[in-house]
Amino acid sequence: ISKSETCFWVGDLYEAWALYQFGKMTLDLIRSSIRRMHRSQVREDRERADPLLVAHSAVEAIAWLGVTLFLLVCISQAGWSLYLLTFTGPIKDYTEYNNQIAQFGAAGVVASCGAIYNV
């Protein structure tokens, strides 16, 4: 069962990478739209663009915090599980393995919720 859980952790890693790419694409699209407003011929659009650019910078920083945390937790989770199964000796007692993986599981849930909420 530990090998199948490792496959799920690697799957979470792919999910984290997809969320990172989605966030990057979305935030870049919003930034380019605001910059287009800033170069507009209409004065009202240009005036509205400056505060939006400031607000976007703050939102972008918060979004990257959650997504980066989730990505780092997933890398650690998958890496540690692969390390335990590949480079350590045969596991005779799975209680310690399960305890270590359970900690990563809890961290993954918290990081996932934070990342999805921030994006």
Side-chain angles (χ1 to χ4, degrees):
I1 203 161
S2 59
K3 290 180 183 180
S4 64
E5 283 181 344
T6 302
C7 293
F8 286 117
W9 300 138
V10 173
D12 276 350
L13 182 57
Y14 282 112
E15 176 189 352
W17 184 248
L19 186 63
Y20 172 82
Q21 292 298 326
F22 176 76
K24 183 172 174 40
M25 178 185 65
T26 304
L27 292 170
D28 286 346
L29 180 67
I30 292 170
R31 186 183 315 111
S32 69
S33 296
I34 294 171
R35 285 184 179 160
R36 191 174 330 117
M37 281 178 62
H38 194 268
R39 293 187 307 263
S40 174
Q41 300 297 328
V42 180
R43 186 175 64 88
E44 290 85 17
D45 286 346
R46 287 193 310 266
E47 289 174 355
R48 285 187 293 166
D50 290 333
L52 285 176
L53 202 56
V54 172
H56 175 70
S57 298
V59 168
E60 187 175 22
I62 291 171
W64 284 128
L65 177 70
V67 172
T68 304
L69 176 67
F70 182 52
L71 187 60
L72 290 175
V73 167
C74 286
I75 289 170
S76 301
Q77 196 174 28
W80 186 250
S81 183
L82 287 169
Y83 170 77
L84 287 177
L85 290 175
T86 306
F87 297 112
T88 60
I91 300 173
K92 295 178 179 74
D93 184 21
Y94 280 93
T95 56
E96 185 171 335
Y97 173 82
N98 288 334
N99 289 337
Q100 292 175 0
I101 295 302
Q103 292 173 358
F104 280 114
V109 168
V110 171
S112 174
C113 291
I116 292 170
Y117 178 76
N118 284 340
V119 170

